[in-house]
Structure formats: C-alpha cells, structure tokens
Amino acid sequence: DSGVTQTPKHLITATGQRVTLRCSPRSGDLSVYWYQQSLDQGLQFLIQYYNGEERAKGNILERFSAQQFPDLHSELNLSSLELGDSALYFCASSENWGLDTQYFGPGTRLTVL
Amino acid sequence: GENVEQHPSTLSVQEGDSAVIKCTYSDSASNYFPWYKQELGKRPQLIIDIRSNVGEKKDQRIAVTLNKTAKHFSLHITETQPEDSAVYFCAALQTGANNLFFGTGTRLTVIP
C-alpha cells in the first residue's frame, strides 16, 4: 500500500457525460500527479499540482481539468467523455517535486460506453 | 522533451534465470531514473531507482545500472521467480522538470 488513495475504483458512464476522479496523496506529500494509462499508449502524464498550484502540464485534453484543494487532495474532471477516454487513471504523489520519488495510487478504471 | 525507449517489449525467462531490460533516454539533463513494476490492473510500484551521481544500485535480486555517457540504464533481475512476472516500466526525469517520462513497458514472464 503506497498511502495514496483514489476513488472510485471503477466508473462506468456514457459518452458525453462528465465525471470526477478523486485522489488523496500520502501524508506530508505536497505534489500530486495525474496519469492516464490506456492499452495502446502506456503511461501518459497529464498534469501536476504542487501545494495547490498547477506546476506542469502534459498531454491533457482541454476537456479535462484538475485542481488541488487546501487539504492537498486533488480532483480530475473529465467532461464530454468519448469512447477513447476509457482508461486507467492513476494519481501519484511526492513529497515535493522534481527528483522526489512518486508513489502511485490504485487507480480508477473508467469505462465510457 | 525527453524521449525514453525501452527494450524488449516482451521477455520470457525460465525460473532461476536472469532478466535484463534496457532503456535509453534522449535528454542529457535527466538525472533521476526509477523503475516501476505493474501487475495486471494494479498500480505501478516503485522497485528501484537511481540518481545520476551513482553508476549502479542493488537491492537484493534487483539491480540498476546507469551509463550517463551513453544515456542508457538497465534493470537486472537475478534468480527470477514466477512472482516477478509483470510489466516493468522505466522512466526518466529531467532537472527542473516535474513529470516522469515513461518507457513503453516490458512484459516479463517467468516460466516455472
């Protein structure tokens, strides 16, 4: 157990809908990272927050957004969902940023029908 | 940005043999290289990492070597066991950057 928690574990929804994925980092970690893992694309970095501020952006679609709250938990919002958004979404956390080790949560499996 | 290539994509070994997975990276500014193990449907788990001021690091049956000049690093698993079967990902992080760049993964199968 990495200490990073994610909810829900599974999510099934329809195209065009909007969902919110939640992540709680390890105690004391200030950085949260979001990754998408689909079958044909491996692990893709989406976005990083550090102590409430957006720090880095990767291959995140405009339909997706995220935020980190004062208690350091983070939410990833996915809207206007398409079939291709079906994937495992992982959150990771680290103590600070940069060279700190990232610990992954158990992931949320999103299925868009 | 950084580009990480990983080989092979699949690897089968007999139980007790060694397994080697290799990665190359493109940006000489990268200086942190973790390896993650991922079982089917589960989270990536950090198994070992190495920073650029070190050439080799070992943890029981697992070792990682880094060649900064050639920009490649490798994972070595000795005395493989069936429970080592999983997908292994290498990654690289650049100085001043915030996100890991992952390789495409190697599916290791250890045959009993």
Side-chain angles (χ1 to χ4, degrees):
Chain A
D1 184 2
S2 65
V4 180
T5 60
Q6 286 186 250
T7 56
K9 273 184 96 168
H10 302 278
L11 201 47
I12 301 174
T13 188
T15 53
Q17 295 299 304
R18 182 179 192 276
V19 297
T20 296
L21 313 183
R22 183 189 168 106
C23 167
S24 292
R26 295 186 320 155
S27 177
D29 284 0
L30 298 177
S31 274
V32 169
Y33 309 78
W34 286 98
Y35 292 88
Q36 180 192 55
Q37 186 176 39
S38 45
L39 275 173
D40 57 347
Q41 296 220 348
L43 275 160
Q44 298 286 323
F45 168 70
L46 296 178
I47 196 163
Q48 182 215 354
Y49 279 81
Y50 173 75
N51 204 20
E53 302 282 330
E54 182 186 302
R55 187 89 197 185
K57 246 179 178 174
N59 300 321
I60 188 166
L61 299 172
E62 283 193 17
R63 302 183 285 109
F64 296 1
S65 65
Q67 57 185 132
Q68 186 179 28
F69 295 87
D71 67 352
L72 301 177
H73 91 271
S74 177
E75 292 181 355
L76 178 67
N77 301 296
L78 314 177
S79 61
S80 303
L81 285 167
E82 301 175 0
L83 295 177
D85 297 327
S86 295
L88 263 171
Y89 290 84
F90 288 104
C91 157
S93 74
S94 67
E95 193 172 334
N96 288 296
W97 59 280
L99 300 186
D100 279 352
T101 299
Q102 294 183 25
Y103 296 92
F104 281 75
T108 293
R109 181 173 292 282
L110 173 66
T111 302
V112 182
L113 301 175
Chain B
E2 176 63 277
N3 180 44
V4 178
E5 294 191 358
Q6 184 172 348
H7 300 280
S9 55
T10 60
L11 179 60
S12 291
V13 299
Q14 291 289 333
E15 182 176 358
D17 287 351
S18 295
V20 180
I21 302 170
K22 298 182 180 182
C23 289
T24 61
Y25 60 99
S26 60
D27 193 328
S28 55
S30 289
N31 55 5
Y32 173 61
F33 307 92
W35 285 88
Y36 287 86
K37 174 184 179 183
Q38 187 179 29
E39 296 173 15
L40 190 62
K42 304 232 174 129
R43 65 182 174 93
Q45 283 186 278
L46 180 74
I47 55 171
I48 197 167
D49 57 12
I50 191 167
R51 298 177 195 271
S52 62
N53 56 344
V54 174
E56 183 173 357
K57 186 176 176 182
K58 196 171 178 184
D59 183 3
Q60 299 181 359
R61 298 186 296 108
I62 294 172
V64 57
T65 58
L66 171 64
N67 183 328
K68 284 218 75 181
T69 304
K71 289 190 281 188
H72 68 70
F73 56 112
S74 300
L75 178 72
H76 305 253
I77 306 174
T78 58
E79 300 170 30
T80 53
Q81 301 166 2
E83 50 265 39
D84 294 329
S85 296
V87 178
Y88 291 81
F89 291 95
C90 63
L93 182 67
Q94 302 164 292
T95 303
N98 299 287
N99 54 286
L100 289 168
F101 291 87
F102 281 87
T104 48
T106 296
R107 181 173 300 281
L108 173 66
T109 302
V110 180
I111 304 164

